[in-house]
Amino acid sequence: MFLQLLFLSGTTIFIYMVVWYLLGLIKKDNSIIDIAWGLGFIVVAYANIWFTGNTGTKQLFLLSLVTIWGLRLAFYLFIRNRGVGEDYRYAQWRRDWKYFNLRAFFQIFMLQGTIMWAVALPIMVCLASTASAMAWYHWLGLGIWLVGFYFEAVGDWQKYRFKTNPANKGKTIMTGLWAYTRHPNYFGESLMWWGVFLLSLGSSYWYISLISPVLLTFFLIKVSGVAMLEKKYRGDMEYADYQRRTNSFIPWWPKKPKKLF
């Protein structure tokens, strides 16, 4: 069953990403892949549950968590990006890459599709299992997911409100959750997938699920999330002071500002 779900999910994601790639060609905006990210996991989850028919308590909890997370993230990114054009990352690649459309297919859409397939492993593992009872570690996973959802959703909302205030143009948010971590949204997303991983425990292939939160956390910190944004603000003295006072990823109490005299 699990091997069948691996193939089903891979095929589903490939078709899904091809559709979004074609939409990107039409709109000349490949940043729509950001909206596709959360929705893709919902598609995978429903394809898996349709194939297996497993609708036990644990499986329905997992389906609900993935649906809530994916819809919220997609809606937020749609509102945030509406009318602003292609994100600076993709616009830069459009200028720099030779044979851009071909490279975009493989290096943006298929690459993210591959990562999506790996991150979705706990979904496949959980839905391949017929065990539906909730053990204590499953409830722990649910609790961890809720904390992560709070950090991502509230962090995004605080930043959106900050950015839409004309008085904050050119400034960096350093209040709310952003006073305790420079990237509460990325921390929250990582935490949620650690929670989803715990929901896969007790299944025959639970150990394969570990790939998901480890890979996602690595990418968020070292590749596409924290590292990319920190590079963007390099040379900004205000942000350098913010870096000194505030943890990059894991929330903690901020350090006191240095006294000038």
Side-chain angles (χ1 to χ4, degrees):
M1 175 73 76
F2 177 61
L3 294 178
Q4 291 173 302
L5 291 185
L6 287 176
F7 178 77
L8 171 68
S9 299
T11 304
T12 301
I13 291 172
F14 175 79
I15 296 171
Y16 177 78
M17 284 298 178
V18 168
V19 171
W20 280 91
Y21 168 71
L22 294 175
L23 287 173
L25 283 180
I26 294 169
K27 291 176 61 65
K28 295 183 178 179
D29 182 358
N30 284 320
S31 57
I32 61 171
I33 189 67
D34 293 342
I35 298 172
W37 175 254
L39 296 177
F41 289 93
I42 300 175
V43 172
V44 170
Y46 276 89
N48 276 246
I49 210 164
W50 166 80
F51 183 80
T52 64
N54 289 343
T55 55
T57 303
K58 183 174 67 173
Q59 286 78 15
L60 290 179
F61 259 122
L62 177 71
L63 186 67
S64 300
L65 298 184
V66 171
T67 301
I68 292 168
W69 167 75
L71 288 177
R72 189 217 68 87
L73 182 62
F75 178 74
Y76 165 71
L77 290 174
F78 172 76
I79 295 298
R80 188 193 71 178
N81 298 341
R82 183 176 51 181
V84 301
E86 192 169 45
D87 183 84
Y88 75 94
R89 297 165 296 169
Y90 303 99
Q92 184 65 46
W93 292 336
R94 187 179 292 276
R95 291 189 294 269
D96 295 345
W97 287 356
K98 191 176 182 181
Y99 309 115
F100 173 76
N101 288 333
L102 180 62
R103 288 187 65 176
F105 177 77
F106 289 103
Q107 291 182 237
I108 297 177
F109 291 87
M110 289 300 110
L111 175 59
Q112 290 208 35
T114 303
I115 297 169
M116 180 184 292
W117 179 83
V119 174
L121 283 171
I123 298 173
M124 303 174 224
V125 168
C126 186
L127 293 178
S129 172
T130 55
S132 61
M134 293 283 286
W136 67 267
Y137 42 81
H138 297 136
W139 293 109
L140 176 63
L142 177 59
I144 289 173
W145 186 92
L146 288 171
V147 174
F149 185 78
Y150 173 81
F151 269 88
E152 183 177 66
V154 174
D156 281 342
W157 175 72
Q158 289 175 341
K159 188 172 184 178
Y160 179 77
R161 287 191 62 191
F162 182 87
K163 289 291 187 182
T164 52
N165 184 346
N168 296 324
K169 186 175 181 180
K171 296 180 181 179
T172 301
I173 181 172
M174 302 178 189
T175 55
L177 293 178
W178 301 81
Y180 302 96
T181 164
R182 300 198 300 273
H183 304 280
N185 48 350
Y186 293 142
F187 169 75
E189 182 159 346
S190 172
L191 205 59
M192 279 189 284
W193 283 99
W194 280 104
V196 171
F197 160 70
L198 288 178
L199 280 171
S200 73
L201 293 183
S203 305
S204 300
Y205 298 95
W206 68 268
Y207 50 91
I208 296 178
S209 295
L210 188 59
I211 295 171
S212 169
V214 170
L215 181 67
L216 182 71
T217 303
F218 172 78
F219 267 88
L220 286 175
I221 296 175
K222 297 295 185 180
V223 182
S224 63
V226 174
M228 190 173 288
L229 281 176
E230 297 284 306
K231 183 179 179 181
K232 178 183 178 183
Y233 290 107
R234 190 175 296 166
D236 186 318
M237 297 304 295
E238 183 184 31
Y239 196 81
D241 183 60
Y242 179 47
Q243 286 177 310
R244 187 192 63 79
R245 292 184 288 107
T246 311
N247 274 10
S248 173
F249 194 69
I250 299 175
W252 194 248
W253 302 109
K255 296 172 183 161
K256 292 180 180 179
K258 281 185 177 179
K259 291 183 179 180
L260 297 179
F261 302 101

